[in-house]
Amino acid sequence: VSICPVATCTVPGPTPTLGGGTYTWSVQTYNPAGYGPWSSRSFTTTTPTIPTGATLTAPIGTVTNATPAYQWNRVNMATWYRLYVKGPGGKVVLDEWYQAASVCNATTCSVLSPTTLENGDHTWWVQSNNVAGYSPWKSAAFKVNP
């Protein structure tokens, strides 16, 4: 199997992926005339860390809008967020994953409620995620009272 089908040679990376640190790799060429000298290169990687929990900012307290926007502060290095909402009587209203790039700007994340909420007490949670793992859940409560 050729690793050089075109001008650039490619070899798959190691499995599992490398942890943080400095690594050196070398390549030696060969043809019928013999071996060439070894080349040597170094590179450094960082190990991703588990993201922290988000700070939830809205809705909190009593709200009159039955389709609120759930808002929280963007978490550094989070790539996904899970939004989980329970309504009156513990009924699950929403349980969805959102890609950070689709719901966040530089500082804030926001998801508009996809359904009209019932009047009464609600609790919502957000969990941050990246390749390193999951943050602790963060929660807030609010009451829909039009």
Side-chain angles (χ1 to χ4, degrees):
V1 172
S2 174
I3 61 170
C4 303
V6 290
T8 301
C9 302
T10 304
V11 178
T15 304
T17 58
L18 299 172
T22 300
Y23 296 89
T24 302
W25 60 282
S26 301
V27 175
Q28 185 179 38
T29 59
Y30 171 80
N31 67 25
Y35 292 92
W38 282 98
S39 67
S40 183
R41 295 278 190 234
S42 295
F43 63 94
T44 302
T45 64
T46 58
T47 302
T49 57
I50 294 173
T52 61
T55 300
L56 310 185
T57 57
I60 296 173
T62 301
V63 299
T64 57
N65 182 358
T67 54
Y70 299 97
Q71 298 176 348
W72 60 93
N73 291 342
R74 184 180 186 134
V75 174
N76 188 31
M77 295 194 304
T79 53
W80 289 87
Y81 295 97
R82 183 176 179 189
L83 174 59
Y84 186 84
V85 183
K86 281 190 175 183
K91 179 182 172 185
V92 176
V93 176
L94 180 64
D95 185 3
E96 288 290 331
W97 283 96
Y98 297 94
Q99 193 171 28
S102 68
V103 297
C104 301
N105 61 31
T107 59
T108 306
C109 304
S110 182
V111 172
L112 185 61
S113 179
T115 60
T116 301
L117 302 177
E118 295 179 34
N119 291 345
D121 295 327
H122 294 73
T123 304
W124 63 292
W125 294 262
V126 171
Q127 185 178 46
S128 311
N129 171 259
N130 67 17
V131 295
Y134 300 89
S135 75
W137 285 98
K138 295 295 184 162
S139 67
F142 66 100
K143 182 175 188 170
V144 176
N145 189 7

